[in-house]
């Protein structure tokens, strides 16, 4: 089941990684400007942010199996339409459809883990399935980019759509049947820990989305890399993200450590963004920056999902996951728009400094929350001693 959940996470966001990795080719054929390339991310994640609260409620009501099959079918449809896009307007409409699988991904996979995985293994399994997102980044940045060099970018995207259909059939045959649908109380606004994690995820998402969207274009236009080598930057980020998500999520499975991890990882992400900014003067630093973004920033999102599983209200894992995801997706929708304006003016260095500031904001939110949680635990312990 872990392999299937990992695949579902990979397909849920594959379209946007593909658009970033294939950005130089899209720019040439469809005349996609850096601003419009950022707009594809804004549209996709804006749709996901709007749909996430509803998606979480649907998962809690109908179960993870039905939702995972629907996720993979929607991914296949969105990829097929992107591969058929005759213009930027059609492309943006197809990307908007891709917001649906993103909205279902974390609620459905987290719900499946709570239903089938023992508590002691949930941290490591969550890290594995969250690494699927970076597996998608790797697939977009290396094999699919290489395929685009032979079959064209449309052929590469259509190949990905066919793979999503195969995964949908796999999910339908493999996952256990869902329980009968049940009514669950609707929760539309995050509260308590979920509110803090949503704010953290929003700022983290702003920075990660900018890196995902513009790293390949930056490599091609400012560092002098060819299209395949520029796409490999995204693949390197993906590989590092897989390792970071698996390793840090396993560590976060120990509740005492999980509270402090998001702030520390976001602080590491600040250093990663500064490396990207400095790569204007020393090009090899771009590769080090890509690795560091994967190890720290991308891994921090997986750790936040482990915390959701640890803190979710009974019967509300889908909705709580969706609310945190909505914050992350909102960041993904907002971040590339601001970066795109700077990229349009050729100010990539300023763009990476903006990313560093966004990661610094995420670190501040996470550390304030961790101190608050620590004090609450200390007060609780003192109260128990007085009793």
């Amino acid at each position: 089941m872990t392999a299937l959940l990992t695949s579902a996470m990979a397909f849920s966001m594959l379209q946007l990684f593909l658009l970033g990795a294939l950005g130089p080719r899209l720019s040439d054929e469809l005349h996609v400007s850096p601003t419009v390339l950022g707009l594809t991310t804004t549209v996709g994640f804006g749709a996901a942010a709007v749909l996430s609260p509803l998606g979480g409620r649907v998962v809690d009501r109908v179960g993870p199996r039905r939702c995972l099959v629907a996720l993979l079918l929607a991914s296949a449809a969105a990829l097929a339409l992107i591969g058929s896009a005759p213009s930027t307007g059609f492309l943006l409409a197809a990307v908007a459809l891709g917001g649906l699988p993103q909205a279902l991904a974390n609620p459905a996979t987290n719900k499946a883990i709570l239903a089938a995985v023992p508590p002691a293994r949930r941290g490591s399994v969550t890290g594995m399935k969250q690494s699927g997102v970076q597996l998608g980044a790797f697939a977009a940045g290396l094999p699919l980019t290489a395929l685009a060099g032979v079959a064209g970018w449309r052929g590469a995207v259509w190949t990905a759509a066919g793979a999503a259909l195969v995964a949908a059939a796999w999910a339908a045959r493999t996952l256990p049947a869902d329980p009968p649908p049940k009514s669950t109380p609707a929760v539309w606004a995050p509260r308590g820990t979920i509110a803090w994690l949503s704010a953290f995820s929003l700022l983290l998402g702003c920075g990660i989305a900018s890196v995902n969207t513009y790293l390949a274009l930056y490599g091609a236009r400012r560092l002098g890399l060819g299209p395949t080598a520029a796409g490999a930057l995204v693949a390197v980020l993906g590989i590092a993200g897989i390792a970071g998500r698996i390793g840090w999520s396993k560590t976060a499975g120990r509740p005492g450590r999980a509270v402090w991890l998001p702030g520390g990882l976001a602080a590491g992400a600040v250093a990663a963004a500064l490396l990207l900014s400095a790569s204007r003067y020393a090009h090899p630093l771009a590769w080090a920056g890509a690795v560091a973004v994967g190890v720290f920033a991308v891994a921090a999102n997986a750790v936040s999902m482990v915390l959701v599983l640890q803190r979710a209200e009974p019967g509300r894992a889908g909705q709580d996951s969706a609310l945190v995801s909505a914050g992350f997706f909102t960041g993904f929708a907002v971040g590339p728009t601001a970066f795109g304006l700077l990229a349009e003016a050729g100010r990539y260095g300023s763009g990476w400094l903006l990313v560093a500031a966004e990661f610094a904001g995420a670190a501040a939110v996470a550390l304030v929350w961790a101190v608050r949680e620590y004090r609450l635990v200390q007060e609780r312990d003192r109260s128990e001693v007085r009793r």
Side-chain angles (χ1 to χ4, degrees), residues 125-147:
V125 172
T126 300
M128 283 294 297
K129 68 96 174 175
Q130 290 295 132
S131 73
V133 176
Q134 299 317 119
L135 182 63
F138 171 77
L142 199 58
L144 289 173
T145 299
L147 178 62

Side-chain angles (χ1 to χ4, degrees), residues 151-179:
W153 72 267
R154 295 183 189 275
V157 176
W158 285 330
T159 299
L165 284 176
V166 172
W170 178 23
R173 290 176 60 87
T174 302
L175 292 173
D178 291 319

Side-chain angles (χ1 to χ4, degrees), residues 52-73:
S52 281
L54 178 61
R57 190 178 182 193
V58 169
V59 171
D60 281 339
R61 180 177 177 81
V62 307
R65 179 179 179 271
R66 295 183 183 94
C67 291
L68 283 169
V69 172
L71 178 163
L72 291 163
L73 290 174

Side-chain angles (χ1 to χ4, degrees), residues 288-310:
V291 170
V293 169
V295 170
F296 295 111
V298 172
N301 175 247
V303 169
S304 71
M305 283 296 121
V306 174
L307 282 163
V308 169
L309 292 180
Q310 292 174 353

Side-chain angles (χ1 to χ4, degrees), residues 60 111 184-185 187 191 194 312-321 323:
D60 281 339
K111 192 87 170 178
T184 57
V187 179
R191 297 175 295 185
I194 302 303
E313 296 287 338
R316 274 185 23 204
Q319 293 184 78
D320 285 349
S321 299
L323 291 171

